[in-house]
Amino acid sequence: MTASDSQYDRLRQELDEAAQLIRSHAGPQERGTGTAPALPLQSLLDQLHQLQAQTEAQNAAPIRLLKHFACTGGTIISKCLAAMPNAVLLSEIDPLSVNHMTTPSKFAPTDLIKQMRYGRHGISDALAVEIFLGGLAPLHAALKRAGQRLILREHSHSHYCTAADWRARPAVQEMLSRDYAVLPLISVRHPMSSFLSLKAAGWIQFAPATLEEYARRYLAFLDDNATCPIVYYEDFVDTPETVLENICRSLELRYDAQSSALVMAIHMSGDSGRSSDEIAARPARAIPDEIAEQSVTSPAYAELCKRLRYPPLPG
């Protein structure tokens, strides 16, 4: 058999598989016993590429995506998941974040996106996403070959809690969904507790710095992730093993009760707000009078507590 014969046979096989793929995805009106109407070649190619991308995404190892606001207990949950067998967790991921540009050091020898932001020409969001996905592809493939499970902990704070317009940019899940199946999960804590902790840490980056504005942004975050499963930090600290097992089931991770003993050995970015790896409820912060008043008069805060099934003030 010549090389041209081999190429022909391979092309014919690929076309046969493509035709079968299109037929198997056809709607009911297209099946039947009659002859399907002829489609332009470009239309067939477009369908082929779309179905190929969908099939590859579905067959590929999924990427697990953790989402939470700052000061909601996300760090300790992330560390527990990072300790699970064959889990690889990358923390505080968002290629469109500019929060790291405020740090004093410009040293970033491995960060192409940050280097471009410091450069004279800057970088578009579209190119930043392409660089992010381009770097993620070989990592994802290597982890898949090694039998490891990739977890990304997105930096939701960069998206929803800074001066940037959260409506003017894609979410991390939207970026990932172009090439991968995504298993998302949200974790939450009583919004009054997280707002007070955010304020105490000096991490409020939006204006006005009110409970109403915080709740308005939190509601937007929940609206944008309306189909994501939610776990509650309060449930986690009450029954950590039960909640962790449920999280692992949701994210298709192997659960090992003994893995939590490794949490103290796991270090990641984003743990600056947590002073201990002990899984326990933190003492409640005193609520200043002006914030207590805001909790009574804020429509967005009332809606947020109702949405998450919390009482207006932590118990």
Side-chain angles (χ1 to χ4, degrees):
M1 178 181 292
T2 66
S4 60
D5 290 335
S6 177
Q7 291 175 349
Y8 171 79
D9 289 340
R10 186 168 61 252
L11 177 59
R12 184 176 63 179
Q13 180 182 355
E14 291 176 354
L15 289 174
D16 288 342
E17 292 174 355
Q20 179 59 37
L21 187 60
I22 292 175
R23 283 195 296 271
S24 67
H25 283 73
Q29 73 279 8
E30 300 174 26
R31 294 193 178 107
T33 58
T35 302
L39 293 174
L41 177 59
Q42 187 59 48
S43 176
L44 289 171
L45 291 174
D46 290 343
Q47 289 185 53
L48 173 60
H49 292 155
Q50 180 180 2
L51 292 173
Q52 182 182 20
Q54 292 174 352
T55 302
E56 289 177 352
Q58 292 168 358
N59 292 337
I63 292 179
R64 291 87 179 160
L65 186 63
L66 303 181
K67 313 180 186 189
H68 41 252
F69 268 26
C71 304
T72 58
T75 295
I76 188 62
I77 293 175
S78 296
K79 285 188 173 184
C80 288
L81 291 176
M84 291 299 149
N86 298 321
V88 176
L89 188 142
L90 306 183
S91 185
E92 297 191 308
I93 301 299
D94 182 357
L96 300 184
S97 174
V98 294
N99 264 26
H100 59 304
M101 303 298 293
T102 62
T103 57
S105 175
K106 295 182 180 181
F107 185 70
T110 63
D111 190 336
L112 298 179
I113 297 175
K114 185 174 183 178
Q115 291 287 357
M116 283 297 295
R117 293 198 191 282
Y118 277 127
R120 181 164 60 92
H121 301 289
I123 186 172
S124 67
D125 283 357
L127 180 54
V129 172
E130 291 300 326
I131 293 173
F132 168 62
L133 293 176
L136 184 62
L139 170 63
H140 179 264
L143 294 178
K144 181 182 178 182
R145 288 192 300 270
Q148 295 173 305
R149 277 69 172 164
L150 179 59
I151 310 168
L152 299 184
R153 178 195 184 195
E154 76 165 32
H155 196 242
S156 306
H157 182 89
S158 287
H159 189 171
Y160 292 94
C161 294
T162 68
D165 182 359
W166 70 82
R167 295 154 295 198
R169 50 152 291 179
V172 173
Q173 183 172 347
E174 183 180 345
M175 304 172 201
L176 295 173
S177 295
R178 289 169 42 178
D179 299 325
Y180 306 99
V182 181
L183 297 177
L185 184 79
I186 289 175
S187 62
V188 299
R189 179 188 178 199
H190 194 293
M192 177 61 77
S193 298
S194 57
F195 179 72
L196 292 175
S197 294
L198 193 72
K199 189 176 179 66
W203 292 344
I204 294 183
Q205 296 177 270
F206 51 80
T210 61
L211 186 62
E212 167 72 13
E213 182 64 16
Y214 177 72
R216 190 173 75 90
R217 291 165 180 267
Y218 213 138
L219 286 169
F221 167 71
L222 294 176
D223 287 342
D224 290 347
N225 295 282
T227 61
C228 289
I230 296 178
V231 296
Y232 289 79
Y233 172 72
E234 292 82 0
D235 293 340
F236 171 72
V237 296
D238 283 345
T239 56
E241 298 301 337
T242 299
V243 173
L244 269 178
E245 187 172 8
N246 290 337
I247 292 175
C248 288
R249 187 179 299 112
S250 178
L251 296 180
E252 299 180 10
L253 294 169
R254 179 186 163 197
Y255 172 72
D256 183 351
Q258 305 303 316
S259 294
S260 58
L262 302 174
V263 169
M264 293 184 63
I266 293 187
H267 302 281
M268 62 178 63
S269 72
D271 62 0
S272 55
R274 171 164 284 271
S275 57
S276 169
D277 288 322
E278 179 186 6
I279 302 175
R282 294 291 184 260
R285 294 181 181 273
I287 302 176
D289 291 343
E290 68 272 16
I291 295 180
E293 183 178 349
Q294 290 176 33
S295 72
V296 176
T297 60
S298 167
Y301 180 73
E303 173 60 27
L304 177 59
C305 290
K306 179 181 178 181
R307 177 91 64 92
L308 293 177
R309 306 192 306 276
Y310 281 118
L313 299 179

